[in-house]
Amino acid sequence: AQSREQELQDVPIALQVVNEQMLDDVAAEDLNDIDMFVPGLVVEGQQPTQPRFQLRGISTDDFGIGTDPAVGVYIDGVYAGRGGGVLLPFTDVERIEVLKGPQGTLFGRNTAAGAVSIITHRPGPDAEGRARMRLAEDGKTYVDAMANIPVGEDSAFRLNGVFNEGDGWLRDANTGEDLAPEDNWATRAGFSTRFGDNTTAWITWDHEELDQLGQATIGVVALPAAPGLPPLPVDESAYLDPRKTPAAVDVDGNEESRRSDGVTLIVDHAFEWGNLTSTSAWRDYDSLNRVEEDGTDRRYLYVDSVNTESNTNFYQEFKFSGSSDRLDWVAGASYFRESADQTSEVNVYTDSADTMVRNLGLAPTPDGSLYGFTTQVMQMYGIPLSLMGHAWNEKFVNTLETTAYALYGDVIWHVNDRFNLTVGLRYTRDEKDFTWFNDHRYAPTLDATLDQMEAMGIFAMLGVPKDMYVFDIAFIDPPAMMNKGVKNGDSDSWDDISPRFVADYHFTDNLMGFASAAKGYKAGGFNALQIGSQFDNEDVWNYEAGIKHVLPEQRIQYDASVYYYVYDNRQAIRLDTTTAIPRYVVDTSDLEAWGMDFNAMWQATAALALDFNAAYIDSTYKDYVTPEGIDVSGQPTGVPEWSFAAGGSYLWDLDEYGSLRASLRYGYRGRTRCSDESLSQGTCGVSPALDLGEAQELANLRLGWTSVDNRFGMALYGENLLDNQYVSGMGTYGKTVLGTVGARLTTPRIWGVEFSVAF
C-alpha cells in the first residue's frame, strides 16, 4: 500500500485486503464478484468491456476514451489502464488490496478515489501444481489450472490457464436462444530468475479472449399490438417488472468480445544503500460491445449501440528505495504512453427512424411518417420500391494519444520508537492529443433507393426535394452538425503536484493511531461525443484520522477511520435531455463528503473465524447545476449511506478423513439517496416495479472437503442464496423518441459443485 512491504496494522491508510481464501469462498472470477464484500467499492461489471468502478462514492461513469477513470486498478504495481481492458479474469491472484481515499502520491494519476491493487503469485522454488473444475447451473463450466516448475536453484516457470463457458440464465421468449452466455479464456506465463546475489528478474505474459453476446436488455414498457406505437411521453410509473417480463430481442450482430495481451518485466537490484526496481509493461487490447437499447423484437422500434476500442500502452518506472534507523524512503520516476481508438455507433432501421420522425412531428404527411407514407404512395402507383427495412448507421470516431510523466518521493521519518511522520510528493504531467470524426449517417441501400426514385422523377411527382429524406438522428447537436465529414482535433496538457502528510503514533505495540491529509488527481480530457469539448483536471483533498488495534489474547484485530473530502471538477457522463433527441455529455460538478470505514477480524476459536466490514458516507453536491438548469447543490449525489459485509467460516478436523470447511458471506449496500438530478436522469425512484436504487443484498455459501494430504478436494457452493435480482442498468436512449425503455438485470441464484486436485 505504501510501496513497501509492511504489516497490515502498521499501514496508516484505510484499506481492506481480500485474500486468496476469500476469493475461493465466493467463487470469484473477476473484480465484479467481490465488490459487495468490500464496503465502499462498487464494480458494475455485467459488461466486461465497459465496467464502472466507484470507491467512496467517487466514479467517472464514462465510457469515452477522452476521460480517465477515478479508481486506478493495478496489477503487480502496473497501471492496468482504462475500462475496456481492466476487468479481466483472475489468474493466480494472491491477494487484492483495496486502498480507500486518494493515492496520488504513491500510485499516481487516476487514483483520485483510491486504488485496487491486484497482487499475483510469483514463481516459487518448489514444484507444484493444481487443477480445479466448477460445474454449475445453466451449463456453466469453469476450469483453472496452475503449474510451478523450478529450473535449477534460482529460476522457475509458473503457468496458468482459465477456461469459462456457460449458457446463461436468460432465454429469448420467442426463439429460446440463450441471451446471457459466458465464453472466455485466459492464460498467464511467468518466469523468475536470479543473476548473482543481488539481482532478480520476473517476467510475465498474459493473454485473454472473450467472445459472447452483449448484455441482454428486457423491455419494460407495455407495447400495444403491432404495429401500434407505445404512448409518449413514457409513463414511468407503469414500467413492467423485468424479473417477470419475457425477453424478446432482435439485435443484429449481438456481440461482446475482447482480445487482450500484456507483458511485464520487473528487475530488482540490491545496492548497499538500498534497492533499484525497474518495471516495464506493455498492454494491448481490442474490444467490441454491441447491445440492444429498446428491448423489443419490433423493427419499427429498433435501436442498438456499439462501442469498439483498440488500445496500446507502455509503462516504465524506476523506483529507488532504502531504509535506515530513522528513515524509510522511496523515490522514482515513471513514463506512460497510450494510443487509443474508439468508435461509438448508433444503429437503427428506416422503420425506427420513421417512428422517430412521426413522434417528433417532423414530416408533413397525413400519418406523420416519412419513409412509410412515401412507400405506401409508391405502392399505390405500382412502383416496386420501398424506403422501409434499410439499415442505418451513425458513428463517432475518436483517437487519443496520451503521454504522462511523473516524479515522486515518499519518506517515513521515525521520530522515535512510537512516532512516525510521513511526507510524500508527486509531480505529474499529462499530455493528450484527441480527435473527433463524425460523418453523415450511413445507409447505402436507402441511398441507392433514393437515387432510383430521383432518376424516375418520383420526387418531382411528389413535389418534395430528395434532401427531405436525407438527415441524421443520433448526433445532431450543433457542433456535430457543423462538422459532418470533418476531422477535428485538440491537444492540451495538465500539471499537478500531489502531496500527502501522515502522522502515526503507536500508543502500544498493538495500538496505532494516525491522521493524514492527501491529494488525488485525475487529468483533464475531452468528451468523445462533443466536438471541441474540453474539461479541466479533477482534484480531491482527503482528510482522515483512524486507529488500528490488535488484541492478541482475544485474537481480535480491527481498524476504524473517519474522513472528509472535497472533490473539485468531478467529471461524469450523463444523458442530456434538453435536446429533442437525447445526447450523452460530460458534465462537471463539485462534491464533498464525510464518512467512516470499519474492519474487524476475530479468530474466535481455532476452528471459527469471523469478520465484519462497514462503510458510511454522506456524499452531497457542493456546487452543481445540471444542463437542464436544476440546482442540486447540497443534495445527495446518489451514493448509499451504509454498506457492510460479514463473513464466517468453521473448520472441522476429520482426522484421517481430511477436513471439512464451511463459509458464509453476506454483503449489504443501502438504498440510493435520490436527488432532483437522479430523478431527472431516471436512475433513481421512478417506478415501483423497477425500484431503481433499492438496497441490495448478496449471500454466498461454500461447503468444501479437503483430503488429509491436501491433494484432493470437493465443494458445494451457492451464489446469491437469497435469489435477489436488481436492475443494473437502463437503456433509455429511445425513451423520448421511440417510447421504449430496456432494463438489464443482475444474475439470479446459482448452485454449483467444485472438484480439485493438487500435487
Side-chain angles (χ1 to χ4, degrees), residues 29-32 48 51 53 73 75 80 83-91 93 118 184 186 206-210 258-262 283-285:
E29 297 174 9
D30 57 36
L31 289 171
N32 184 57
F53 292 82
V73 177
I75 303 173
V86 170
L87 195 65
L88 298 173
F90 289 149
T91 49
V93 172
I118 300 173
N184 69 305
D206 296 271
H207 177 79
E208 185 245 11
E209 297 272 358
L210 172 76
R258 177 176 58 204
R259 188 272 318 152
S260 175
D261 287 283
R283 296 281 186 272
D284 180 83
Y285 74 84

Side-chain angles (χ1 to χ4, degrees), residues 92 121-128 146-152 154-160 188-193 202-203:
D92 210 22
H121 287 282
R122 289 199 175 197
D126 300 320
E128 60 175 322
M146 180 277 295
N148 190 92
I149 308 169
V151 183
D154 298 319
S155 304
F157 288 97
R158 194 174 179 95
L159 309 175
N160 292 269
R188 176 181 177 88
F191 174 72
S192 67
T193 190
W202 178 34
I203 186 169

Side-chain angles (χ1 to χ4, degrees), residues 268-280:
D268 185 85
H269 183 77
F271 296 93
E272 292 184 1
W273 49 263
N275 282 62
L276 167 62
T277 303
S278 169
T279 301
S280 308

Side-chain angles (χ1 to χ4, degrees), residues 431-442:
E431 300 172 353
K432 293 185 179 182
D433 294 311
F434 197 80
T435 67
W436 299 264
F437 180 76
N438 173 225
D439 208 347
H440 290 285
R441 66 103 179 97
Y442 178 70

Side-chain angles (χ1 to χ4, degrees), residues 27 91 103 205 257 262 282 317 353 444 513 577 629 752:
T91 49
Q103 306 297 323
W205 169 71
S257 60
W282 169 84
E317 179 188 52
T577 58

Side-chain angles (χ1 to χ4, degrees), residues 12-88:
I13 295 175
L15 76 157
Q16 183 176 339
V17 177
V18 178
N19 60 25
E20 197 170 6
Q21 182 64 71
M22 179 176 166
L23 295 178
D24 289 342
D25 285 348
V26 299
E29 297 174 9
D30 57 36
L31 289 171
N32 184 57
D33 294 326
I34 68 168
D35 68 328
M36 284 293 291
F37 307 112
V38 182
L41 175 67
V42 179
V43 181
E44 293 184 2
Q46 280 79 23
Q47 300 181 81
T49 62
Q50 289 183 222
R52 182 178 74 91
F53 292 82
Q54 181 187 99
L55 194 54
R56 280 190 173 175
I58 298 173
S59 63
T60 299
D61 300 343
D62 188 13
F63 55 82
I65 61 173
T67 307
D68 290 315
V71 180
V73 177
Y74 292 78
I75 303 173
D76 295 321
V78 176
Y79 180 57
R82 61 182 63 258
V86 170
L87 195 65
L88 298 173

Side-chain angles (χ1 to χ4, degrees), residues 676-696:
D676 293 338
E677 191 273 340
S678 59
L679 291 172
S680 71
Q681 287 287 287
T683 57
C684 193
V686 181
S687 164
L690 297 184
D691 198 11
L692 293 176
E694 65 182 306
Q696 299 187 16

